[in-house]
Amino acid sequence: MRPARCLDIGNVAWTEGDYGVYSARITERLRHLWRQGTQVIILGGDHGVTIPALDALDALGEPVHVLHVDAHLDWREEVGGVWRGYSSPLRWASTKKAVSGMTQIGLRAIGSARRGEVEAARACSSVRSHAATGSWAWT
């Protein structure tokens, strides 16, 4: 057996221009890696990286459980007319066939989520851990 190697292949440059082009580059890079059997771990980044990564999950061909570490709920449907960005990655994940479940760790507040978005998160039945108490809810 060959020893495992870790490579940082992140930092897809977005200098200017159309976010859609940038997003598609991330999605295609991840699909390529996953189709080759590469184990990919995505840490950090903003919501502009999370959603293109969720779009690429179809390349795995099997169900995926999403672990989301964040202080906020991130279930907004849109913010300021943007549907695939700030404060919406978990809502987006809930629409993906490849996502079999979600666990959110570190919540300290619902952030910018409104009542309907909190209800949508509850209806999805993802598991959440509150940062202050460590208690689990919505299982």
Side-chain angles (χ1 to χ4, degrees):
M1 181 183 333
R2 295 184 331 190
R5 294 186 324 155
C6 293
L7 303 172
D8 179 354
I9 59 169
N11 305 326
V12 176
W14 182 20
T15 54
E16 294 181 16
D18 184 356
Y19 170 75
V21 172
Y22 168 74
S23 174
R25 288 177 55 213
I26 294 170
T27 299
E28 287 310 310
R29 181 179 286 185
L30 287 169
R31 280 184 178 139
H32 174 76
L33 291 168
W34 279 327
R35 285 179 181 137
Q36 290 182 325
T38 304
Q39 178 68 47
V40 176
I41 299 171
I42 300 168
L43 298 172
D46 61 18
H47 298 166
V49 173
T50 307
I51 290 174
L54 292 167
D55 289 342
L57 290 175
D58 61 341
L60 292 170
E62 60 186 87
V64 174
H65 189 95
V66 174
L67 173 63
H68 182 250
V69 181
D70 199 318
H72 305 109
L73 188 60
D74 289 342
W75 269 81
R76 288 288 299 267
E77 197 163 11
E78 62 82 28
V79 176
V82 176
W83 293 82
R84 291 173 37 94
Y86 175 72
S87 205
S88 66
L90 273 287
R91 174 67 149 239
W92 192 257
S94 74
T95 69
K96 297 297 176 186
K97 289 180 183 177
V99 175
S100 62
M102 295 181 274
T103 300
Q104 291 180 263
I105 296 175
L107 291 175
R108 67 169 191 255
I110 60 169
S112 64
R114 297 165 293 204
R115 180 181 200 96
E117 289 137 357
V118 172
E119 290 170 1
R122 284 186 174 137
C124 186
S125 297
S126 66
V127 179
R128 291 167 177 76
S129 171
H130 191 273
T133 65
S135 64
W136 294 91
W138 301 349
T139 56

